[in-house]
């Protein structure tokens, strides 16, 4: 098999190196005079791309030429910070084993060139003039009169070359199958923004290893300070309209245009102390280009394939264009290696391989292109909601942004026939191609799975008149119907069960994976439960938790981490506040005032006080926050506190359950703890049932993801035995004691 690669950029060199290592013959044609020109461009290589480059032997050279990116800063248009610096990049390195490497594109190309042994197959000054294909192969003709024959052509030459592989593919399709050509042109490449990008020598005020992003109306900036202070910068500006590449008025920029734009905007802040003019004064190289965008429906035709910008052109704000091209090249190499090894090499086998390649990459690429477009427009505040998002959502969504980047990396491609680098196993988040961007489980599907909880909630609501909940609570506190022993045991058992459930809710509220979900606000649900009945509200809480906290959120080991500063306060605060409430109840405390006062008394329940006390203690630094340190150094630091909390509360619940059953058996004349028609008892029983169902759903999730190896028979047996001996609350706690 022989593959003709057109274009010696990142994708072309990656594919050439991968094919060489699969012992597939190739020739690489590059229009420029050299494969590593200095054109003022830079590249940020993420963990997904670095793992592939590590397989090819190019990663070490790239790492030597970069400083680790550690801090991320987001600025307003005046340069002030939107939020404190974030350690996103450090966490990503801890998760995947590779940091983000930002360097001159020239150096990255040189590292890839060095990974290819057969330099005689890398041909510069080869501008493609025409491509032809037959049932037996392809032919590529160049401007210098040379021609090359092979089994297929792979275009890695971008979309702006004189006779791009994509344009030749469209020409051949039009000649052979006009309808196919019409479908291919459903997407028109367009540009709504331009970008002035460049490289500068060190600038005072910029810190090595820092990424500065500036949001502004109609424009944005991205500045990365690399090794030895070398600065890589991008200034994006919205155009006056959307331009299409096939139109006569599509913008083409000269060096003079770039200088004019830079000088006009030199005053604009980048940070509190640095302006665009400061970068411009120290410039080493620069280029102004329109930012084309397109996601083509078809990436191949016959024996011709297009990779990278030829198939999915996106804005650079997201930093995924080059990385996606490297992944696509690796995925294509996998398919070609199978064709080469399995044979025979025919038009049909090549078309089948190219179809499988696109099908495998399609969902991931589609989601990446859309995400890049959204990020570009958000940073340019290109909507009415964008300023609100920048000022109020972004500062509180660090974890959500971290999750987005993790989603973009976890499902990354790998060269399947080469050894997996040892470094990729060092992180806390295993790469998994069944997860990540474009492969999320539908929220609607998860809500449908959790629908029995909503049905249960509706049923209890029909059984619980609005005023009956307060009446039940009132009767519960006065407890005049039972004897003294049964009264004590009922109080203890109910309060202990409440404490276990609420402790679990509090633990979930500060878990990293549950950021920006309803699980962050357990006290709201608890107070609603006090007003409408826990049997009505708790199933709704569980349904929302399950729907919005898919298992992919827990792919990274640190995603299940809770903030120890909060978690270690849960047990003492619950013991204090619940204990006071129980003590008052056992000493004959009763309410003999109007229902308005009664309602507010419940609004000031210990659950609210627990949450408020936690917040005060943490905010005043009496209990230090250590989430970042734990993420980097000790991702299981919170487990002892979680176990102590749930085990201690469960022990009290189990003891009261056993004692209550013995009391009922010994006193044949004692009435049942929850007689027929007792709404309080109904609500408590439904809450326990909903809790058990929820735990079962979560166990199913982690078993499906391969995080738990125990069989269902063992899990159900443990749950049944513990529930029968110590009460259902203990079964719920066992399901959450080792998350």
């Amino acid at each position: 098999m022989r593959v003709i690669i057109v274009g010696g950029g990142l994708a072309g060199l990656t594919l050439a190196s991968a094919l060489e290592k699969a012992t597939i013959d190739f020739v690489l044609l590059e229009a420029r005079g050299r494969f590593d020109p200095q054109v003022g461009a830079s590249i940020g290589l993420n963990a997904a791309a670095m793992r592939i480059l590590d397989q090819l032997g190019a990663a070490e050279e790239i790492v030597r030429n970069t400083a680790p990116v550690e801090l991320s800063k987001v600025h307003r248009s005046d340069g002030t910070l939107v939020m404190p610096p974030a350690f996103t990049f450090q966490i990503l390195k801890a998760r995947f084993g590779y940091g983000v490497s930002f360097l001159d594109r020239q150096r990255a190309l040189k590292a890839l060139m060095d990974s290819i042994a057969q330099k005689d197959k890398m041909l510069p000054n080869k501008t493609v003039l025409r491509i032809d294909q037959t049932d037996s192969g392809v032919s590529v003709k160049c401007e210098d009169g040379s021609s090359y024959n092979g089994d297929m052509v792979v275009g890695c030459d971008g979309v702006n070359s004189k006779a791009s592989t994509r344009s030749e593919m469209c020409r051949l399709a039009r000649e052979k199958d006009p309808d196919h050509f019409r479908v291919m042109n459903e997407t028109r490449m367009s540009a709504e923004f331009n970008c002035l990008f460049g490289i500068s020598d060190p600038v005072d005020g910029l810190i090595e290893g820092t990424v500065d992003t500036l949001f502004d109306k109609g424009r944005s900036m991205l500045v990365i300070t690399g090794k030895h202070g070398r600065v890589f910068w991008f200034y994006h500006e919205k155009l006056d309209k959307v331009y299409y590449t096939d139109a006569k008025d599509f913008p083409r920029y000269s060096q003079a245009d770039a200088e004019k734009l830079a000088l006009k905007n030199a005053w604009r802040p980048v940070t509190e102390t640095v302006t665009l003019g400061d970068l411009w004064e120290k410039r080493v190289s620069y280029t102004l280009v329109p930012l084309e965008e397109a996601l083509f429906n078809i990436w191949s035709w016959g024996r011709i394939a297009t990779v990278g910008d030829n198939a999915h052109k996106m804005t650079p704000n997201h930093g995924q264009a080059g990385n996606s091209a490297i992944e696509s090249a690796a995925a294509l190499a996998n398919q070609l290696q199978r064709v080469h090894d399995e044979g025979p090499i025919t038009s049909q086998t090549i078309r089948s391989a190219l179809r499988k390649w696109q099908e495998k990459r399609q969902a991931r690429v589609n989601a990446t292109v859309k995400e890049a477009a959204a990020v570009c427009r958000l940073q340019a505040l290109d909507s009415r909601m964008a300023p609100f998002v920048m000022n109020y959502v972004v500062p509180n969504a660090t974890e959500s942004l971290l999750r987005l980047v993790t989603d973009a990396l976890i499902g990354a491609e790998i060269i399947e026939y080469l050894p997996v680098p040892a470094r990729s196993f060092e992180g806390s988040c295993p790469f998994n191609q069944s997860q990540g961007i474009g492969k999320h489980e539908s929220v609607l599907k998860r809500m449908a799975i959790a629908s029995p909880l909503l049905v249960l909630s509706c049923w209890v609501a029909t059984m619980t008149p609005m005023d009956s909940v307060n009446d039940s609570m009132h009767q519960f506190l006065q407890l005049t119907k039972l004897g003294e022993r049964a009264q004590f045991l009922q109080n203890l058992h109910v309060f202990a069960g409440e404490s276990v459930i609420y402790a679990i809710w509090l633990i979930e509220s500060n878990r990293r994976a549950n950021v920006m979900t309803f699980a962050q606000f357990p006290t709201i649900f608890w107070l609603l439960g006090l007003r409408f009945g826990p049997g009505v509200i708790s199933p709704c809480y569980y349904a929302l938790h399950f729907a919005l906290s898919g298992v992919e959120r827990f792919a990274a080991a640190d995603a299940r981490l809770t903030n120890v500063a909060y978690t270690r306060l849960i047990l003492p605060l619950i013991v204090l506040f619940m204990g006071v409430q129980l003590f008052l109840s056992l000493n004959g405390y009763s309410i003999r005032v109007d229902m308005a006062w009664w309602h507010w008394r419940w609004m000031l329940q210990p659950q609210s006080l627990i949450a408020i006390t936690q917040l005060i203690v943490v905010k005043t630094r009496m209990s230090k926050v250590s989430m970042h340190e734990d993420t980097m150094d000790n991702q299981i630091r919170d487990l002892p506190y979680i176990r102590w909390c749930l085990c201690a509360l469960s022990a009290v619940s189990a003891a009261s359950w056993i004692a209550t059953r013995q009391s009922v058996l010994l006193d044949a004349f004692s009435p049942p703890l929850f007689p027929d028609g007792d709404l309080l008892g109904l609500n408590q029983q439904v809450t326990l049932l909903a809790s058990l169902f929820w735990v079962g759903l979560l166990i199913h999730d982690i078993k499906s993801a391969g995080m738990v190896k125990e069989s269902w028979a063992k899990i159900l047996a443990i749950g049944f035995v513990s529930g029968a001996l110590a009460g259902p609350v203990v079964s719920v706690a066992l399901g959450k004691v080792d998350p």
Side-chain angles (χ1 to χ4, degrees):
M1 184 179 192
R2 192 184 198 215
V3 179
I4 302 173
I5 305 171
V6 179
L10 288 171
L13 288 168
T14 298
L15 182 60
S17 183
L19 293 181
E20 181 183 60
K21 291 167 179 58
T23 66
I24 296 175
D25 190 19
F26 71 93
V27 61
L28 177 57
L29 308 178
E30 169 56 44
R32 289 172 172 161
R34 55 184 299 171
F35 283 86
D36 58 343
Q38 176 56 278
V39 294
S42 54
I43 183 69
L45 298 170
N46 61 26
M50 288 297 291
R51 184 171 66 146
I52 293 170
L53 298 180
D54 204 0
Q55 288 185 289
L56 299 176
E60 287 301 324
E61 177 64 21
I62 290 172
V63 170
R64 277 196 295 270
N65 284 285
T66 59
V69 179
E70 296 185 342
L71 285 180
S72 173
K73 296 182 179 180
V74 179
H75 304 265
R76 300 182 183 89
S77 59
D78 61 358
T80 58
L81 286 172
V82 174
M83 61 184 186
F87 297 92
T88 304
F89 295 101
Q90 292 184 33
I91 295 174
L92 289 173
K93 183 176 182 180
R95 286 185 174 183
F96 293 100
Y98 299 91
V100 174
S101 297
F102 222 100
L103 70 166
D104 294 48
R105 183 180 291 261
Q106 180 187 39
R107 291 180 182 269
L109 294 173
K110 179 66 165 57
L112 271 168
M113 288 173 56
D114 292 343
S115 73
I116 301 173
Q118 302 175 77
K119 298 292 194 296
D120 58 318
K121 295 185 177 181
M122 302 168 56
L123 307 179
N125 297 310
K126 295 294 180 180
T127 301
V128 172
L129 186 63
R130 182 182 177 88
I131 299 175
D132 292 299
Q133 69 173 334
T134 64
D135 289 339
S136 59
V138 293
S139 174
V140 177
K141 297 180 180 179
C142 300
E143 282 188 348
D144 63 0
S146 60
S147 64
Y148 302 89
N149 299 319
D151 292 292
M152 64 174 297
V153 173
V154 179
C156 304
D157 50 341
V159 293
N160 295 316
S161 55
K162 186 174 182 180
S164 70
T165 304
R166 184 165 193 89
S167 64
E168 284 296 284
M169 183 176 75
C170 292
R171 177 184 63 79
L172 292 171
R174 182 178 61 237
E175 294 174 357
K176 187 78 173 181
D177 186 351
D179 290 335
H180 191 89
F181 178 78
R182 179 181 56 79
V183 172
M184 292 175 68
N185 277 277
E186 286 180 353
T187 300
R188 295 176 69 193
M189 186 173 291
S190 62
E192 194 174 352
F193 292 81
N194 63 22
C195 180
L196 174 64
F197 60 87
I199 301 174
S200 297
D201 286 330
V203 174
D204 291 340
L206 296 179
I207 303 172
E208 181 179 299
T210 301
V211 175
D212 291 282
T213 306
L214 182 130
F215 290 55
D216 196 1
K217 182 65 176 177
R219 56 186 56 82
S220 64
M221 286 202 68
L222 177 64
V223 178
I224 304 94
T225 308
K227 192 170 185 177
H228 304 311
R230 193 169 177 84
V231 184
F232 310 99
W233 49 269
F234 303 81
Y235 173 78
H236 310 95
E237 190 170 85
K238 188 174 182 180
L239 300 172
D240 58 337
K241 68 172 187 178
V242 177
Y243 290 89
Y244 291 93
T245 55
D246 55 359
K248 293 182 179 180
D249 63 345
F250 187 78
R252 306 291 178 187
Y253 298 115
S254 64
Q255 188 176 29
D257 294 325
E259 294 173 355
K260 181 179 178 181
L261 182 65
L263 294 175
K264 178 182 176 181
N265 294 281
W267 63 273
R268 296 190 182 278
V270 176
T271 70
E272 298 91 330
T273 59
V274 179
T275 65
L276 177 59
D278 296 327
L279 301 178
W280 185 252
E281 287 180 5
K282 297 291 186 72
R283 67 190 181 278
V284 174
S285 56
Y286 61 92
T287 305
L288 176 63
V289 296
L291 295 180
E292 297 104 331
E293 296 178 80
L295 177 58
F296 294 106
N297 297 321
I298 298 177
W299 302 356
S300 64
W301 188 82
R303 291 173 175 262
I304 303 175
T306 57
V307 175
D309 288 351
N310 259 331
H312 37 82
K313 179 70 170 172
M314 64 189 84
T315 61
N317 307 65
H318 194 236
Q320 296 299 320
N323 294 287
S324 291
I326 290 172
E327 283 194 60
S328 290
L332 180 58
N334 291 332
Q335 293 293 338
L336 298 183
Q337 186 263 347
R338 293 191 190 97
V339 173
H340 174 71
D341 288 357
E342 297 171 4
I345 301 170
T346 66
S347 294
Q348 183 177 354
T349 57
I350 290 174
R351 285 196 301 269
S352 176
L354 296 180
R355 183 178 64 253
K356 292 176 181 177
W357 164 65
Q358 181 172 347
E359 288 174 352
K360 189 172 188 295
R361 290 285 294 148
Q362 190 82 62
R364 184 168 167 79
V365 167
N366 287 3
T368 301
V369 171
K370 292 175 182 177
E371 205 170 88
V375 170
C376 175
R377 285 151 181 81
L378 173 61
Q379 292 179 351
L381 305 180
D382 195 32
S383 72
R384 292 183 179 179
M385 286 298 295
F388 173 81
V389 172
M390 177 193 71
N391 286 297
Y392 301 103
V393 176
V394 170
N396 297 292
T398 303
E399 295 296 334
S400 297
L401 296 174
L402 178 62
R403 189 181 304 119
L404 286 176
V405 181
T406 299
D407 282 347
L409 297 176
I410 191 170
E413 299 288 344
I414 192 170
I415 301 176
E416 297 168 358
Y417 52 86
L418 294 180
V420 180
R423 189 183 304 178
S424 67
F425 295 108
E426 295 175 358
S428 63
C429 184
F431 287 93
N432 186 340
Q433 292 190 19
S434 66
Q435 295 180 347
I437 188 171
K439 297 180 181 179
H440 292 160
E441 191 174 3
S442 167
V443 172
L444 292 178
K445 177 184 175 181
R446 291 183 68 82
M447 185 60 80
I449 294 173
S451 60
L453 291 167
L454 300 179
V455 173
L456 191 61
S457 173
C458 292
W459 175 73
V460 178
T462 61
M463 300 287 290
T464 310
M466 187 65 69
D467 295 333
S468 63
V469 177
N470 282 335
D471 291 339
S472 296
M473 295 292 187
H474 193 175
Q475 294 169 10
F476 168 67
L477 274 191
Q478 297 197 54
L479 294 167
T480 59
K481 296 182 179 180
L482 300 178
E484 184 176 343
R485 177 181 173 82
Q487 173 181 321
F488 171 79
L489 293 175
Q490 181 179 348
N491 272 279
L492 184 61
H493 175 62
V494 173
F495 277 121
E498 271 189 348
S499 300
V500 173
I501 298 299
Y502 193 64
I504 291 172
W505 288 21
L506 286 174
I507 291 167
E508 292 300 316
S509 72
N510 64 89
R511 197 182 295 285
R512 165 167 273 155
N514 289 328
V515 169
M516 299 293 285
T517 70
F518 288 99
Q520 273 194 288
F521 311 104
T523 300
I524 294 176
F525 285 91
W526 201 266
L527 293 175
L528 289 172
L530 294 172
R531 180 66 183 89
F532 300 103
V536 176
I537 300 301
S538 59
C540 296
Y541 168 87
Y542 293 132
L544 287 171
H545 182 286
F546 179 75
L548 299 176
S549 297
V551 69
E552 68 270 5
R553 285 174 171 258
F554 296 88
D558 63 276
R560 56 136 299 278
L561 183 67
T562 61
N563 191 329
V564 174
Y566 284 93
T567 305
R568 63 188 171 194
L569 292 173
I570 293 175
L571 179 58
L573 289 177
I574 284 182
V575 170
L576 174 62
F577 288 120
M578 291 295 190
V580 169
Q581 184 170 240
L582 180 61
F583 176 80
L584 292 175
S585 178
L586 291 176
N587 281 275
Y589 179 77
S590 63
I591 303 297
R592 301 188 184 281
V593 294
D594 61 43
M595 292 305 295
W597 195 95
W598 171 249
H599 174 75
W600 285 108
R601 189 268 177 195
W602 279 103
M603 287 296 287
L604 295 176
Q605 267 290 308
Q607 290 81 10
S608 305
L609 296 177
I610 290 170
I612 293 170
T613 304
Q614 281 181 316
L615 184 63
I616 292 173
V617 172
V618 173
K619 291 299 183 182
T620 57
R621 306 292 291 176
M622 293 172 62
S623 182
K624 295 183 179 180
V625 178
S626 58
M627 180 73 88
H628 174 67
E629 291 80 0
D630 293 342
T631 298
M632 304 302 298
D633 304 321
N634 188 358
Q635 296 170 354
I636 60 172
R637 185 183 172 202
D638 62 331
L639 283 182
Y641 297 102
I642 292 175
R643 289 169 178 161
W644 269 108
C645 177
L646 295 183
C647 288
L649 296 175
S650 295
V652 176
S653 177
S656 64
W657 167 268
I658 295 170
T660 299
R661 295 185 65 184
Q662 290 177 345
S663 175
V664 171
L665 290 173
L666 292 173
D667 188 358
F669 299 100
S670 175
L673 293 180
F674 299 124
D676 293 340
D678 183 356
L679 293 174
L680 182 61
L682 173 65
N683 274 263
Q684 290 165 345
Q685 290 168 357
V686 168
T687 297
L688 287 175
L689 178 61
S691 301
L692 287 168
F693 185 76
W694 171 65
V695 169
L697 291 177
L698 298 184
I699 293 175
H700 178 270
D701 263 357
I702 59 179
K703 276 186 64 63
S704 300
M707 299 178 185
V708 170
K709 303 301 182 183
E710 286 79 4
S711 67
W712 271 113
K714 181 179 179 180
I715 294 171
L716 292 175
I718 293 173
F720 179 79
V721 172
S722 62
L725 296 178
V729 171
V730 175
S731 298
V732 174
L734 284 175
K736 297 298 293 179
V737 75
D738 194 10

